[in-house]
Amino acid sequence: MQVASWLSEFEPPVQVPEAFIEQLREQLEATALHAAEIVRGTDPEQLPIRVPKSRLADLDCCERKALAVYQADHAEQSITASMLRGVALDRFVTYQLVAGRVTEPLQTCLSMLEAEAEDSAIAAFEALGPEAAAALIDPLAAQVADAWSGIDPAWVPRTQSKASAVFADGAVVCSGIIDVELGGPSAGVPAVVVEVKSGKPVAAHQAEAYLYGLLLALRDGLAPGAVARWYPGSELAAVVVSEGLLASAAARLEQAMLRWAELLCGRTPQESSGPWCGWCPDNEVCPSSRVDRSAPAGLAGDLEFEAEFDPERDW
């Protein structure tokens, strides 16, 4: 089903009361103040506490990974082919919604990256070579055209829109960049938030969508009608936004605020092994790592865990 067809059949749910959103804001504010006091009393230079969506995802996987990623020398971080697929997919959806069908995928993607000064992604495409790069991303352009064409302009499509929540007088910040935002107060209909994903569906993707629903509710004072994920070749996977969904996202964010504050102040991180070990900067020294150190380089790609190229990541 095309996204346009889904939107034409979408029936907005009963609105989440504004009073409930304000209650969540007050709850988050209280937790943020506590987290800020933890850091302020130990190492005030670590303020503000930043918990972007990428850090929440890392904390959900493994505290040691979250801290290692934060502390690593990111000039040495490599961009894999799966990351480049994600880079291209985001740009193709943006192009489709603004200008129409992508007819020259690689050239279009590189031009958009140049305009955004994403030099590391451009270098990764160049290292791959034009033929391999085209083989990697050309099919995505056709899938985007099939799924994203024909959306009614009344939905006022926006891409890469920012949503941030600031607490405790700026001492705690949670931020995200929404792939696609449709509707909302400016369009006169409840918003639909869509996360565009190039890999296989995993539980973490749904948690990200819930977080964006919360951030939009806090930003606009009005909850979106639905949060959704779209994978190439698949139908839109949408969930209606309810009080329970927003409360769940808020509880996850509160926990992340406190955990990250404690880690910044020197608490020993807990280790949780999993497929993400292949993408952890500490995987060669961590005793819990699942990476086989006797295997050749590139094992991370065999662990069936998709790491995203995330320019928003708070290094």
Side-chain angles (χ1 to χ4, degrees):
M1 180 187 291
Q2 287 186 321
V3 176
S5 299
W6 185 91
L7 289 171
S8 69
E9 298 174 4
F10 174 60
E11 295 184 6
V14 176
Q15 256 185 24
V16 174
E18 291 183 34
F20 182 79
I21 296 172
E22 286 307 307
Q23 180 183 332
L24 289 181
R25 189 191 304 276
E26 292 172 4
Q27 180 180 317
L28 287 160
E29 177 71 15
T31 302
L33 286 168
H34 184 197
E37 284 305 311
I38 292 173
V39 174
R40 192 173 284 116
T42 305
D43 188 359
E45 292 187 3
Q46 296 282 9
L47 293 173
I49 300 167
R50 299 190 183 276
V51 280
K53 67 101 173 173
S54 56
R55 179 150 300 137
L56 266 71
D58 284 341
L59 287 168
D60 286 345
C61 293
C62 172
E63 288 186 347
R64 178 161 183 167
K65 177 180 184 291
L67 200 59
V69 167
Y70 174 67
Q71 296 172 338
D73 179 2
H74 300 285
E76 298 179 0
Q77 295 293 304
S78 60
I79 301 176
T80 65
S82 63
M83 292 179 185
L84 290 178
R85 278 175 51 84
V87 167
L89 191 63
D90 285 342
R91 274 71 190 175
F92 293 162
V93 171
T94 295
Y95 193 94
Q96 176 71 45
L97 291 173
V98 174
R101 188 183 184 101
V102 174
T103 56
E104 298 181 354
L106 183 56
Q107 181 178 335
T108 298
C109 182
L110 291 175
S111 295
M112 295 178 75
L113 291 172
E114 287 174 4
E116 300 164 25
E118 293 287 0
D119 295 336
S120 56
I122 293 171
F125 272 117
E126 291 175 345
L128 198 59
E131 291 186 6
L136 181 70
I137 69 173
D138 280 7
L140 297 176
Q143 291 172 314
V144 167
D146 290 342
W148 288 89
S149 61
I151 293 178
D152 189 334
W155 280 95
V156 194
R158 287 93 71 203
T159 62
Q160 302 300 301
S161 57
K162 294 183 179 181
S164 299
V166 180
F167 306 102
D169 294 326
V172 179
V173 180
C174 178
S175 60
I177 298 177
I178 299 166
D179 290 334
V180 181
E181 191 178 346
L182 302 153
S186 62
V189 293
V192 174
V193 174
V194 184
E195 273 290 277
V196 174
K197 295 296 183 183
S198 60
K200 298 177 181 178
V202 295
H205 295 167
Q206 190 165 336
E208 288 179 16
Y210 289 2
L211 175 66
Y212 286 143
L214 174 64
L215 290 177
L216 247 68
L218 295 173
R219 186 193 71 185
D220 299 340
L222 180 69
V227 291
R229 291 157 290 134
W230 178 77
Y231 302 85
S234 301
E235 294 187 359
L236 204 65
V239 178
V240 167
V241 174
S242 63
E243 292 182 21
L245 182 150
L246 295 179
S248 173
R252 175 173 176 252
L253 177 54
E254 286 185 272
Q255 186 182 49
M257 289 178 186
L258 296 173
R259 291 171 72 186
W260 190 241
E262 293 168 357
L263 290 169
L264 289 175
C265 292
R267 175 171 67 78
T268 301
Q270 295 181 356
E271 296 167 7
S272 302
S273 63
W276 47 82
C277 291
W279 301 97
C280 177
D282 277 1
N283 63 24
E284 293 187 359
V285 295
C286 176
S288 300
S289 175
R290 276 179 50 180
V291 172
D292 181 357
R293 296 177 185 88
S294 66
L299 177 63
D302 297 330
L303 289 170
E304 296 186 358
F305 178 76
E306 178 193 7
E308 297 179 340
F309 175 73
D310 189 358
E312 175 207 1
R313 183 180 286 276
D314 171 34
W315 301 120

